[in-house]
Amino acid sequence: MKQANERLDHLAYHDELTELFNRRAGLQRLDEEIKRCERYGTIFSIAIYDLDDFKAINDTYGHGTGDAVLQQMTALVSDVLRGTDLHVRLGGEEFLIIMPGVNAEEAQQAMERVRESVAQTPFTEHQLMVTLSFGIACYIEPSGTRLLDRADKAMYQAKQAGRNRVVIASSSM
């Protein structure tokens, strides 16, 4: 019974496929980070990213291969991140990274390292090369939703600019 309850607790806050925090847990942690920054006057940045042309992988190789790409890619991204960063699966092939104590330029440098690592790594037995597009926003106002919106818009700018890139959100987004 105890193991079953522990498993349910784990599933309530973690994505079953990638073992990352799920959307619910990630948004809760985002709220906690905002409160911490407001209390102590610190900063943080977030990045929203997704896999470029992921649908083509699922359509060509099947969902099993798509799942394997997600698992391998998220493990690689987590390895490149700092231990204090939080990696979250928002849904599908979209992810959130919360980076405490990091300004937008530092976040951009970190996400460039992640982007390059993924772009240089073949995934699955098919040796698939995948790329990521990132949108970054630095916490500057008391609204986590607005922060997510700004990062999301920046990610779409990265896609519109040709994919496989990192874009920092302007404060007016």
Side-chain angles (χ1 to χ4, degrees):
M1 185 70 139
K2 183 180 176 188
Q3 283 181 329
N5 284 335
E6 287 174 358
R7 179 73 180 142
L8 286 175
D9 284 344
H10 182 79
L11 288 175
Y13 294 100
H14 290 84
D15 175 65
E16 193 170 8
L17 179 67
T18 63
E19 291 297 315
L20 299 177
F21 282 106
N22 63 21
R23 181 181 194 90
R24 173 195 346 232
L27 295 180
Q28 180 180 346
R29 294 289 296 273
L30 180 62
D31 286 341
E32 292 168 4
E33 191 62 31
I34 288 169
K35 289 174 185 167
R36 184 179 359 271
C37 287
E38 289 172 350
R39 180 171 184 177
Y40 297 110
T42 58
I43 64 166
F44 75 98
S45 291
I46 65 167
I48 292 181
Y49 76 91
D50 75 4
L51 273 85
D52 297 325
D53 300 316
F54 184 66
K55 183 180 181 323
I57 293 172
N58 280 335
D59 291 350
T60 304
Y61 299 98
H63 290 279
T65 296
D67 287 351
V69 167
L70 288 174
Q71 289 170 321
Q72 292 171 18
M73 182 276 304
T74 55
L76 175 61
V77 171
S78 292
D79 285 346
V80 177
L81 296 175
R82 303 173 308 164
T84 55
D85 297 333
L86 183 70
H87 197 187
V88 177
R89 185 174 186 194
L90 292 174
E93 72 273 10
E94 190 169 69
F95 300 86
L96 167 69
I97 299 170
I98 302 172
M99 297 168 275
V102 171
N103 66 33
E105 291 75 24
E106 293 165 333
Q108 182 181 29
Q109 292 170 0
M111 294 307 97
E112 284 291 351
R113 284 192 301 275
V114 169
R115 186 191 62 73
E116 289 171 6
S117 293
V118 170
Q120 295 171 3
T121 302
F123 293 94
T124 76
E125 70 276 5
H126 300 290
Q127 300 293 294
L128 300 174
M129 303 307 288
V130 300
T131 59
L132 307 175
S133 294
F134 293 84
I136 293 172
C138 187
Y139 178 73
I140 56 174
E141 80 273 328
S143 170
T145 302
R146 176 116 169 85
L147 184 68
L148 287 170
D149 289 344
R150 288 178 35 239
D152 198 47
K153 286 178 183 175
M155 181 190 64
Y156 281 102
Q157 283 182 343
K159 290 193 169 292
Q160 290 172 348
R163 295 181 169 82
N164 191 26
R165 63 192 68 229
V166 179
V167 173
I168 297 176
S170 69
S171 59
S172 63
M173 283 184 152

Short mmCIF file of all heavy atoms in Angstrom, two decimals, residues 83-129:
data_model
loop_
_atom_site.label_atom_id
_atom_site.label_comp_id
_atom_site.label_asym_id
_atom_site.label_seq_id
_atom_site.Cartn_x
_atom_site.Cartn_y
_atom_site.Cartn_z
N GLY A 83 22.54 21.88 -11.76
CA GLY A 83 21.74 21.13 -10.79
C GLY A 83 20.62 21.96 -10.18
O GLY A 83 19.64 21.40 -9.70
N THR A 84 20.74 23.28 -10.20
CA THR A 84 19.71 24.15 -9.62
C THR A 84 18.60 24.50 -10.61
O THR A 84 17.60 25.10 -10.23
CB THR A 84 20.34 25.46 -9.11
OG1 THR A 84 21.06 26.08 -10.19
CG2 THR A 84 21.27 25.19 -7.94
N ASP A 85 18.78 24.16 -11.88
CA ASP A 85 17.76 24.44 -12.89
C ASP A 85 16.66 23.38 -12.81
O ASP A 85 16.91 22.23 -12.44
CB ASP A 85 18.36 24.43 -14.30
CG ASP A 85 19.40 25.54 -14.49
OD1 ASP A 85 19.30 26.57 -13.79
OD2 ASP A 85 20.30 25.36 -15.32
N LEU A 86 15.46 23.77 -13.16
CA LEU A 86 14.32 22.85 -13.13
C LEU A 86 13.85 22.61 -14.56
O LEU A 86 13.55 23.56 -15.29
CB LEU A 86 13.19 23.44 -12.29
CG LEU A 86 11.98 22.54 -12.12
CD1 LEU A 86 12.34 21.35 -11.23
CD2 LEU A 86 10.84 23.32 -11.52
N HIS A 87 13.76 21.36 -14.95
CA HIS A 87 13.37 20.94 -16.30
C HIS A 87 11.97 20.34 -16.22
O HIS A 87 11.74 19.41 -15.46
CB HIS A 87 14.39 19.91 -16.78
CG HIS A 87 14.39 19.67 -18.24
ND1 HIS A 87 15.15 18.67 -18.80
CD2 HIS A 87 13.77 20.28 -19.28
CE1 HIS A 87 14.99 18.68 -20.11
NE2 HIS A 87 14.15 19.64 -20.42
N VAL A 88 11.04 20.87 -17.02
CA VAL A 88 9.63 20.52 -16.92
C VAL A 88 9.10 20.15 -18.30
O VAL A 88 9.38 20.83 -19.28
CB VAL A 88 8.82 21.74 -16.39
CG1 VAL A 88 7.34 21.43 -16.34
CG2 VAL A 88 9.35 22.20 -15.05
N ARG A 89 8.29 19.10 -18.37
CA ARG A 89 7.56 18.80 -19.60
C ARG A 89 6.20 19.48 -19.49
O ARG A 89 5.36 19.10 -18.67
CB ARG A 89 7.39 17.31 -19.81
CG ARG A 89 6.73 17.00 -21.16
CD ARG A 89 6.69 15.54 -21.45
NE ARG A 89 6.18 15.30 -22.81
CZ ARG A 89 5.78 14.12 -23.24
NH1 ARG A 89 5.86 13.05 -22.44
NH2 ARG A 89 5.32 13.97 -24.46
N LEU A 90 5.97 20.48 -20.34
CA LEU A 90 4.69 21.17 -20.35
C LEU A 90 3.62 20.35 -21.04
O LEU A 90 2.45 20.41 -20.68
CB LEU A 90 4.82 22.54 -21.04
CG LEU A 90 5.66 23.57 -20.30
CD1 LEU A 90 5.83 24.82 -21.14
CD2 LEU A 90 5.05 23.90 -18.95
N GLY A 91 4.02 19.59 -22.04
CA GLY A 91 3.09 18.76 -22.80
C GLY A 91 3.64 18.50 -24.18
O GLY A 91 4.38 19.32 -24.71
N GLY A 92 3.31 17.35 -24.74
CA GLY A 92 3.79 17.02 -26.08
C GLY A 92 5.30 17.14 -26.16
O GLY A 92 6.02 16.53 -25.39
N GLU A 93 5.76 17.97 -27.10
CA GLU A 93 7.20 18.17 -27.27
C GLU A 93 7.62 19.56 -26.78
O GLU A 93 8.64 20.08 -27.19
CB GLU A 93 7.63 17.93 -28.71
CG GLU A 93 7.22 19.00 -29.70
CD GLU A 93 5.82 18.82 -30.29
OE1 GLU A 93 5.04 17.96 -29.84
OE2 GLU A 93 5.52 19.56 -31.22
N GLU A 94 6.83 20.15 -25.88
CA GLU A 94 7.14 21.47 -25.35
C GLU A 94 7.59 21.38 -23.89
O GLU A 94 6.96 20.69 -23.09
CB GLU A 94 5.91 22.38 -25.46
CG GLU A 94 6.24 23.83 -25.16
CD GLU A 94 5.10 24.76 -25.52
OE1 GLU A 94 4.05 24.69 -24.84
OE2 GLU A 94 5.27 25.54 -26.46
N PHE A 95 8.68 22.11 -23.58
CA PHE A 95 9.32 22.00 -22.29
C PHE A 95 9.62 23.38 -21.71
O PHE A 95 9.75 24.35 -22.45
CB PHE A 95 10.62 21.20 -22.41
CG PHE A 95 10.39 19.81 -22.91
CD1 PHE A 95 10.33 19.54 -24.27
CD2 PHE A 95 10.20 18.76 -22.02
CE1 PHE A 95 10.09 18.26 -24.74
CE2 PHE A 95 9.95 17.47 -22.49
CZ PHE A 95 9.89 17.22 -23.85
N LEU A 96 9.78 23.43 -20.40
CA LEU A 96 10.11 24.64 -19.66
C LEU A 96 11.36 24.38 -18.85
O LEU A 96 11.51 23.30 -18.26
CB LEU A 96 8.94 24.99 -18.72
CG LEU A 96 9.18 26.05 -17.65
CD1 LEU A 96 9.36 27.43 -18.27
CD2 LEU A 96 8.02 26.06 -16.65
N ILE A 97 12.25 25.38 -18.81
CA ILE A 97 13.41 25.32 -17.93
C ILE A 97 13.38 26.58 -17.07
O ILE A 97 13.29 27.69 -17.59
CB ILE A 97 14.73 25.25 -18.72
CG1 ILE A 97 14.75 24.00 -19.59
CG2 ILE A 97 15.93 25.29 -17.78
CD1 ILE A 97 15.89 23.95 -20.60
N ILE A 98 13.44 26.40 -15.76
CA ILE A 98 13.49 27.51 -14.81
C ILE A 98 14.93 27.60 -14.32
O ILE A 98 15.48 26.62 -13.81
CB ILE A 98 12.53 27.29 -13.63
CG1 ILE A 98 11.09 27.12 -14.14
CG2 ILE A 98 12.63 28.44 -12.63
CD1 ILE A 98 10.09 26.70 -13.07
N MET A 99 15.53 28.80 -14.49
CA MET A 99 16.94 29.00 -14.16
C MET A 99 17.09 30.08 -13.09
O MET A 99 17.17 31.27 -13.41
CB MET A 99 17.72 29.38 -15.42
CG MET A 99 17.72 28.30 -16.49
SD MET A 99 18.31 28.87 -18.10
CE MET A 99 16.78 29.55 -18.78
N PRO A 100 17.13 29.70 -11.80
CA PRO A 100 17.26 30.68 -10.73
C PRO A 100 18.58 31.44 -10.80
O PRO A 100 19.62 30.87 -11.16
CB PRO A 100 17.23 29.82 -9.45
CG PRO A 100 16.60 28.53 -9.87
CD PRO A 100 16.99 28.34 -11.30
N GLY A 101 18.52 32.75 -10.48
CA GLY A 101 19.73 33.56 -10.40
C GLY A 101 20.38 33.88 -11.72
O GLY A 101 21.54 34.28 -11.76
N VAL A 102 19.65 33.73 -12.82
CA VAL A 102 20.23 33.89 -14.16
C VAL A 102 19.49 35.01 -14.89
O VAL A 102 18.27 35.03 -14.93
CB VAL A 102 20.10 32.56 -14.94
CG1 VAL A 102 20.48 32.71 -16.39
CG2 VAL A 102 20.94 31.48 -14.28
N ASN A 103 20.26 35.93 -15.50
CA ASN A 103 19.62 36.97 -16.32
C ASN A 103 19.40 36.44 -17.73
O ASN A 103 19.82 35.31 -18.06
CB ASN A 103 20.43 38.27 -16.30
CG ASN A 103 21.79 38.16 -16.96
OD1 ASN A 103 21.98 37.41 -17.92
ND2 ASN A 103 22.75 38.90 -16.46
N ALA A 104 18.78 37.22 -18.58
CA ALA A 104 18.41 36.76 -19.92
C ALA A 104 19.63 36.40 -20.76
O ALA A 104 19.62 35.39 -21.48
CB ALA A 104 17.57 37.81 -20.63
N GLU A 105 20.69 37.18 -20.68
CA GLU A 105 21.88 36.90 -21.48
C GLU A 105 22.56 35.60 -21.02
O GLU A 105 23.02 34.81 -21.84
CB GLU A 105 22.86 38.08 -21.42
CG GLU A 105 22.37 39.32 -22.15
CD GLU A 105 21.28 40.09 -21.40
OE1 GLU A 105 21.18 39.99 -20.13
OE2 GLU A 105 20.48 40.78 -22.06
N GLU A 106 22.62 35.39 -19.70
CA GLU A 106 23.19 34.14 -19.19
C GLU A 106 22.33 32.96 -19.58
O GLU A 106 22.85 31.88 -19.93
CB GLU A 106 23.32 34.21 -17.67
CG GLU A 106 24.34 35.24 -17.20
CD GLU A 106 24.22 35.57 -15.72
OE1 GLU A 106 23.12 35.45 -15.15
OE2 GLU A 106 25.26 35.95 -15.14
N ALA A 107 21.01 33.15 -19.56
CA ALA A 107 20.10 32.08 -19.99
C ALA A 107 20.31 31.77 -21.47
O ALA A 107 20.31 30.60 -21.86
CB ALA A 107 18.66 32.48 -19.73
N GLN A 108 20.51 32.81 -22.27
CA GLN A 108 20.75 32.60 -23.69
C GLN A 108 22.02 31.77 -23.91
O GLN A 108 22.03 30.84 -24.71
CB GLN A 108 20.87 33.93 -24.42
CG GLN A 108 21.09 33.77 -25.92
CD GLN A 108 21.22 35.09 -26.64
OE1 GLN A 108 21.68 36.09 -26.07
NE2 GLN A 108 20.82 35.10 -27.89
N GLN A 109 23.08 32.09 -23.19
CA GLN A 109 24.32 31.33 -23.31
C GLN A 109 24.10 29.87 -22.92
O GLN A 109 24.57 28.95 -23.60
CB GLN A 109 25.42 31.95 -22.45
CG GLN A 109 25.88 33.30 -22.94
CD GLN A 109 26.79 34.00 -21.93
OE1 GLN A 109 27.09 33.46 -20.85
NE2 GLN A 109 27.23 35.19 -22.27
N ALA A 110 23.38 29.66 -21.83
CA ALA A 110 23.12 28.29 -21.37
C ALA A 110 22.29 27.52 -22.39
O ALA A 110 22.57 26.35 -22.70
CB ALA A 110 22.41 28.32 -20.02
N MET A 111 21.27 28.16 -22.96
CA MET A 111 20.42 27.47 -23.92
C MET A 111 21.13 27.25 -25.25
O MET A 111 20.87 26.28 -25.95
CB MET A 111 19.10 28.22 -24.13
CG MET A 111 18.21 28.26 -22.87
SD MET A 111 17.85 26.65 -22.10
CE MET A 111 19.08 26.56 -20.79
N GLU A 112 22.07 28.11 -25.59
CA GLU A 112 22.91 27.86 -26.77
C GLU A 112 23.72 26.58 -26.57
O GLU A 112 23.87 25.78 -27.49
CB GLU A 112 23.82 29.04 -27.08
CG GLU A 112 23.12 30.22 -27.72
CD GLU A 112 22.64 29.98 -29.15
OE1 GLU A 112 22.97 28.94 -29.76
OE2 GLU A 112 21.91 30.84 -29.66
N ARG A 113 24.25 26.38 -25.35
CA ARG A 113 25.00 25.14 -25.07
C ARG A 113 24.08 23.93 -25.21
O ARG A 113 24.46 22.90 -25.80
CB ARG A 113 25.60 25.17 -23.67
CG ARG A 113 26.82 26.05 -23.53
CD ARG A 113 27.55 25.84 -22.20
NE ARG A 113 26.72 26.11 -21.04
CZ ARG A 113 26.54 27.31 -20.50
NH1 ARG A 113 27.12 28.36 -21.03
NH2 ARG A 113 25.79 27.45 -19.43
N VAL A 114 22.87 24.04 -24.70
CA VAL A 114 21.91 22.95 -24.80
C VAL A 114 21.57 22.70 -26.27
O VAL A 114 21.60 21.56 -26.74
CB VAL A 114 20.62 23.26 -24.00
CG1 VAL A 114 19.51 22.27 -24.32
CG2 VAL A 114 20.90 23.30 -22.51
N ARG A 115 21.25 23.77 -26.99
CA ARG A 115 20.88 23.65 -28.41
C ARG A 115 21.97 22.97 -29.21
O ARG A 115 21.72 22.05 -29.99
CB ARG A 115 20.59 25.04 -28.98
CG ARG A 115 20.04 25.03 -30.41
CD ARG A 115 20.02 26.41 -31.02
NE ARG A 115 21.35 26.99 -31.13
CZ ARG A 115 22.27 26.62 -32.03
NH1 ARG A 115 22.02 25.65 -32.89
NH2 ARG A 115 23.46 27.20 -32.05
N GLU A 116 23.21 23.40 -29.01
CA GLU A 116 24.34 22.80 -29.74
C GLU A 116 24.54 21.34 -29.38
O GLU A 116 24.80 20.51 -30.26
CB GLU A 116 25.61 23.60 -29.48
CG GLU A 116 25.60 24.97 -30.13
CD GLU A 116 26.77 25.84 -29.70
OE1 GLU A 116 27.67 25.36 -28.97
OE2 GLU A 116 26.78 27.03 -30.10
N SER A 117 24.43 20.99 -28.10
CA SER A 117 24.59 19.60 -27.68
C SER A 117 23.56 18.70 -28.35
O SER A 117 23.90 17.61 -28.85
CB SER A 117 24.45 19.47 -26.16
OG SER A 117 25.51 20.10 -25.52
N VAL A 118 22.31 19.15 -28.37
CA VAL A 118 21.26 18.35 -28.99
C VAL A 118 21.46 18.26 -30.49
O VAL A 118 21.35 17.18 -31.09
CB VAL A 118 19.86 18.92 -28.64
CG1 VAL A 118 18.77 18.26 -29.46
CG2 VAL A 118 19.59 18.73 -27.14
N ALA A 119 21.79 19.37 -31.13
CA ALA A 119 21.95 19.39 -32.60
C ALA A 119 23.10 18.51 -33.06
O ALA A 119 23.10 18.05 -34.21
CB ALA A 119 22.15 20.82 -33.08
N GLN A 120 24.06 18.23 -32.19
CA GLN A 120 25.22 17.41 -32.56
C GLN A 120 25.08 15.94 -32.18
O GLN A 120 25.99 15.16 -32.42
CB GLN A 120 26.48 17.99 -31.90
CG GLN A 120 26.83 19.38 -32.40
CD GLN A 120 27.94 20.02 -31.59
OE1 GLN A 120 28.50 19.42 -30.68
NE2 GLN A 120 28.25 21.26 -31.92
N THR A 121 23.96 15.57 -31.59
CA THR A 121 23.79 14.21 -31.08
C THR A 121 22.77 13.44 -31.91
O THR A 121 21.63 13.87 -32.05
CB THR A 121 23.30 14.25 -29.62
OG1 THR A 121 24.25 14.98 -28.84
CG2 THR A 121 23.14 12.85 -29.05
N PRO A 122 23.15 12.28 -32.47
CA PRO A 122 22.16 11.43 -33.15
C PRO A 122 21.33 10.66 -32.13
O PRO A 122 21.85 10.18 -31.12
CB PRO A 122 23.02 10.49 -34.00
CG PRO A 122 24.39 10.56 -33.43
CD PRO A 122 24.51 11.80 -32.60
N PHE A 123 20.02 10.57 -32.38
CA PHE A 123 19.11 9.92 -31.44
C PHE A 123 18.52 8.65 -32.04
O PHE A 123 18.24 8.58 -33.23
CB PHE A 123 17.97 10.88 -31.07
CG PHE A 123 18.45 12.06 -30.27
CD1 PHE A 123 18.79 13.25 -30.89
CD2 PHE A 123 18.60 11.97 -28.90
CE1 PHE A 123 19.24 14.34 -30.16
CE2 PHE A 123 19.05 13.05 -28.16
CZ PHE A 123 19.37 14.23 -28.79
N THR A 124 18.27 7.70 -31.20
CA THR A 124 17.70 6.38 -31.49
C THR A 124 18.56 5.59 -32.46
O THR A 124 19.58 6.07 -32.95
CB THR A 124 16.24 6.45 -32.02
OG1 THR A 124 16.23 6.86 -33.37
CG2 THR A 124 15.36 7.33 -31.14
N GLU A 125 18.10 4.39 -32.72
CA GLU A 125 18.83 3.53 -33.66
C GLU A 125 18.80 4.08 -35.08
O GLU A 125 19.59 3.69 -35.93
CB GLU A 125 18.26 2.10 -33.63
CG GLU A 125 16.88 1.94 -34.23
CD GLU A 125 15.73 2.27 -33.28
OE1 GLU A 125 15.96 2.72 -32.15
OE2 GLU A 125 14.57 2.08 -33.70
N HIS A 126 17.91 5.03 -35.34
CA HIS A 126 17.82 5.66 -36.66
C HIS A 126 18.83 6.79 -36.84
O HIS A 126 18.91 7.36 -37.92
CB HIS A 126 16.40 6.19 -36.90
CG HIS A 126 15.35 5.13 -36.86
ND1 HIS A 126 15.22 4.15 -37.82
CD2 HIS A 126 14.40 4.87 -35.94
CE1 HIS A 126 14.22 3.34 -37.51
NE2 HIS A 126 13.71 3.75 -36.37
N GLN A 127 19.57 7.10 -35.77
CA GLN A 127 20.57 8.17 -35.81
C GLN A 127 19.95 9.49 -36.29
O GLN A 127 20.50 10.21 -37.12
CB GLN A 127 21.75 7.77 -36.71
CG GLN A 127 22.48 6.52 -36.25
CD GLN A 127 23.20 6.76 -34.92
OE1 GLN A 127 24.12 7.54 -34.84
NE2 GLN A 127 22.74 6.11 -33.86
N LEU A 128 18.78 9.81 -35.72
CA LEU A 128 18.06 11.01 -36.11
C LEU A 128 18.72 12.25 -35.53
O LEU A 128 19.11 12.27 -34.36
CB LEU A 128 16.61 10.94 -35.61
CG LEU A 128 15.78 9.78 -36.13
CD1 LEU A 128 14.43 9.75 -35.45
CD2 LEU A 128 15.63 9.91 -37.63
N MET A 129 18.84 13.27 -36.34
CA MET A 129 19.36 14.55 -35.90
C MET A 129 18.16 15.47 -35.65
O MET A 129 17.31 15.62 -36.53
CB MET A 129 20.32 15.15 -36.94
CG MET A 129 21.49 14.23 -37.30
SD MET A 129 22.45 13.64 -35.87
CE MET A 129 23.29 15.12 -35.39
#
